[in-house]
């Protein structure tokens, strides 16, 4: 299935290395940049730097998306909304990560998307 396992308990350089190989071969990977399930009342958790770092290092664009609605078995109440690709051109990856997180957070709480 092309799954790259990630051990979230330790800093897993192998996962990052494999993902970069996929990206350099112009393949697509999917990442949830929060790195875990959001069990809080906040719309999103802080983003980990991995997605932005990989995009920067491989000159790959990020296609941000939001998932709206609540998952219920056998019901179609989920919407996935994709946005225009984003290039990570700046070297300040923390700032790029914050901008991406703010964009996604804003889109998540907007009613018209």
């Amino acid at each position: 299935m092309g799954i790259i396992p990630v051990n979230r308990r330790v800093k897993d350089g192998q996962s990052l290395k494999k993902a970069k190989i996929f990206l350099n071969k112009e393949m697509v990977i999917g990442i949830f940049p929060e790195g875990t399930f959001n069990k809080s009342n906040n719309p999103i958790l802080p983003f980990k730097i991995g997605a932005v770092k990989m995009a920067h290092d491989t000159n790959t664009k990020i296609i941000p998306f939001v998932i709206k609605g609540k998952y219920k078995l056998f019901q179609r109440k989920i919407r996935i909304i994709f946005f225009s690709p984003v290039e990570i051109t700046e070297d300040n990856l923390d700032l790029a990560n914050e901008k991406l997180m703010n964009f996604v957070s804003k889109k998540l709480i907007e009613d018209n998307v």
Side-chain angles (χ1 to χ4, degrees):
M1 292 184 67
I3 296 172
I4 302 170
V6 176
N7 183 347
R8 294 180 300 168
R9 294 183 183 154
V10 297
K11 200 166 190 170
D12 189 3
Q14 287 301 101
S15 298
L16 184 63
K17 192 174 184 178
K18 285 183 183 178
K20 286 182 179 182
I21 290 169
F22 279 42
L23 293 172
N24 283 322
K25 290 181 179 180
E26 298 185 5
M27 298 172 80
V28 174
I29 62 171
I31 297 176
F32 290 91
E34 295 167 286
T36 190
F37 294 100
N38 186 353
K39 297 176 185 171
S40 74
N41 291 328
N42 298 325
I44 62 173
L45 297 174
F47 282 11
K48 306 285 185 193
I49 198 80
V52 167
K53 177 161 179 42
M54 282 186 282
H56 179 268
D57 292 353
T58 61
N59 197 30
T60 304
K61 294 180 182 178
I62 293 176
I63 301 175
F65 68 95
V66 296
I67 301 173
K68 293 228 175 199
K70 298 282 183 193
Y71 174 78
K72 293 190 180 187
L73 192 60
F74 303 117
Q75 293 183 11
R76 296 181 181 176
K77 297 194 180 217
I78 295 282
R79 287 188 311 139
I80 301 174
I81 305 151
F82 294 91
F83 301 99
S84 298
V86 174
E87 276 188 88
I88 307 300
T89 56
E90 52 193 276
D91 289 329
N92 185 338
L93 299 184
D94 289 323
L95 181 59
N97 195 45
E98 186 176 330
K99 285 181 183 179
L100 180 65
M101 186 177 73
N102 289 339
F103 174 82
V104 170
S105 181
K106 179 182 170 198
K107 294 298 183 183
L108 189 59
I109 60 174
E110 284 180 1
D111 287 333
N112 59 348
V113 291

